[in-house]
Amino acid sequence: MAETMKDFEAELEASFKKIEEGDILTGTVISVDEKEVVLDLKYYAEGIIPVEDYSREPGFNVKEEVHVGDEVSATVVRKDDGHGNILLSRTEANDVLAWDRLKELKESGEVLDVVVKGIVNGGVIVYVEDVRGFIPASKLALNYVEDTNEYLNRHIQVQVFDVDKESGRLILSAKEILREKAEEERKNKVSNLEVGLVTEGTVESLQTYGAFVNLGNGLSGLVHISQICEKRIKKPSEVLAVGDKVKVKVTAVKDGKISLSIKEASDVMAKEIEEETIELPDAGEEATTSLGSLFAGIKLN
């Protein structure tokens, strides 16, 4: 009971606090409509934020974005709006508070969900904390995006890349998040790869020490020069070219790297062919070999 009384006294004291124009107050949303957002300020008067002073984001829908129970900070514009309420502006408060929050977001690397609101030369526009931000085309995807129009109104995940309050600069990036996801997916695929598997791949690059083979599904592995063929070669280009289709055997998977062998794949395939040429006889029949089948039907004098 004493604790409840103490809380009541604190609220009572807060309700008589002196409020001045320019103060930033934080309240809880108690109602939202097309014209205004009403806040409970724990004060003798409620706070009113006109919709036009709530956000600068183009196409902002207050009834979809603001909900009863939300905590909102806003600047006191007038102590009395003519109806006994305190007139507030969230956009003015945001000009003060948003940049500190954006700096925190950059330091934490927090992943943000944003919607692309505009297309400009070299990138797209989004809004974070009601601040206009720019995502360069080079940071929209893993590769440079030529046509940014396809991103309009799309939801994407980004991180704060650079923020400067003095110049009003906010730059965001989706690239690092996508790269991290791609690497995680690759690691999962690599971990599921079985040593001993023989598969087909495409030579994607040649180095002095070996050849990198694309296995598809985002995976590539190295065939060391000693594992390319039986004969000794000085460089991979003696027997391989970029674009060649080759059979490879997975010989090792370690630390996310895949080791391959064309030589061992050839040995496996040769063995399989040899086994296929031997036909096991049915009961009462003679065993035949591929060599025997070659002489079948030939009459010897």
Side-chain angles (χ1 to χ4, degrees):
M1 185 69 179
E3 189 64 36
T4 306
M5 194 64 184
K6 195 179 291 183
D7 290 343
F8 174 72
E9 287 173 0
E11 285 191 16
L12 189 64
E13 186 179 336
S15 71
F16 287 105
K17 66 187 174 185
K18 192 173 183 182
I19 289 178
E20 299 293 342
E21 291 179 6
D23 287 352
I24 295 178
L25 307 178
T26 300
T28 305
V29 176
I30 54 176
S31 74
V32 183
D33 62 30
E34 292 84 357
K35 293 182 178 179
E36 61 189 24
V37 175
V38 182
L39 302 184
D40 176 9
L41 300 171
K42 296 288 190 287
Y43 195 62
Y44 69 84
E46 292 175 342
I48 305 294
I49 308 176
V51 167
E52 59 270 21
D53 290 322
Y54 195 91
S55 174
R56 294 192 180 97
E57 184 177 328
F60 183 82
N61 187 318
V62 70
K63 295 200 77 175
E64 287 182 7
E65 302 293 335
V66 186
H67 307 94
V68 171
D70 288 353
E71 278 207 348
V72 177
S73 295
T75 300
V76 177
V77 177
R78 286 207 307 272
K79 291 188 283 184
D80 190 334
D81 66 349
H83 301 284
N85 301 308
I86 300 169
L87 186 65
L88 303 167
S89 170
R90 180 176 172 273
T91 54
E92 284 190 27
N94 221 51
D95 290 340
V96 177
L97 302 174
W99 292 98
D100 289 336
R101 171 65 177 148
L102 290 170
K103 284 181 182 176
E104 290 174 5
L105 290 171
K106 182 181 186 299
E107 289 168 8
S108 69
E110 185 176 331
V111 175
L112 309 169
D113 290 301
V114 297
V115 180
V116 175
K117 293 290 187 176
I119 306 297
V120 294
N121 188 31
V124 302
I125 298 299
V126 299
Y127 284 78
V128 179
E129 297 292 323
D130 213 31
V131 174
R132 187 177 189 266
F134 175 64
I135 308 176
S138 60
K139 293 192 172 295
L140 267 174
L142 290 175
N143 300 313
Y144 186 86
V145 176
E146 293 290 346
D147 183 11
T148 54
N149 288 291
E150 62 188 59
Y151 279 82
L152 187 62
N153 297 320
R154 186 188 292 187
H155 287 257
I156 58 173
Q157 290 188 319
V158 297
Q159 291 171 303
V160 176
F161 183 77
D162 187 33
V163 56
D164 187 341
K165 180 181 178 181
E166 301 307 315
S167 63
R169 183 175 70 245
L170 172 61
I171 299 175
L172 304 126
S173 174
K175 193 169 189 174
E176 288 71 23
I177 300 169
L178 294 172
R179 184 183 288 134
E180 198 172 299
K181 285 182 178 178
E183 184 56 29
E184 192 63 36
E185 286 177 10
R186 183 187 176 280
K187 284 180 180 177
N188 289 335
K189 289 173 185 175
V190 169
S191 65
N192 291 327
L193 205 58
E194 291 184 11
V195 172
L197 172 72
V198 175
T199 186
E200 187 175 76
T202 305
V203 177
E204 62 181 5
S205 71
L206 298 175
Q207 309 297 329
T208 54
Y209 51 83
F212 283 96
V213 175
N214 188 334
L215 304 175
N217 204 22
L219 299 179
S220 292
L222 173 66
V223 181
H224 189 267
I225 191 169
S226 64
Q227 294 298 312
I228 291 177
C229 59
E230 293 291 346
K231 69 175 183 177
R232 191 179 182 85
I233 56 175
K234 291 183 178 179
K235 51 186 179 180
S237 58
E238 289 179 27
V239 292
L240 292 175
V242 172
D244 283 354
K245 297 286 185 184
V246 291
K247 289 285 186 181
V248 291
K249 178 183 175 181
V250 178
T251 57
V253 176
K254 187 178 180 182
D255 300 328
K257 295 178 180 179
I258 305 167
S259 296
L260 304 169
S261 173
I262 296 174
K263 187 165 68 174
E264 289 191 30
S266 299
D267 292 343
V268 171
M269 289 164 60
K271 187 177 179 183
E272 288 178 353
I273 291 170
E274 185 181 331
E275 289 174 351
E276 286 175 5
T277 61
I278 300 174
E279 300 174 9
L280 293 175
D282 291 331
E285 293 183 3
E286 293 183 3
T288 61
T289 67
S290 59
L291 186 60
S293 65
L294 289 174
F295 290 99
I298 297 178
K299 293 181 179 180
L300 298 176
N301 294 325

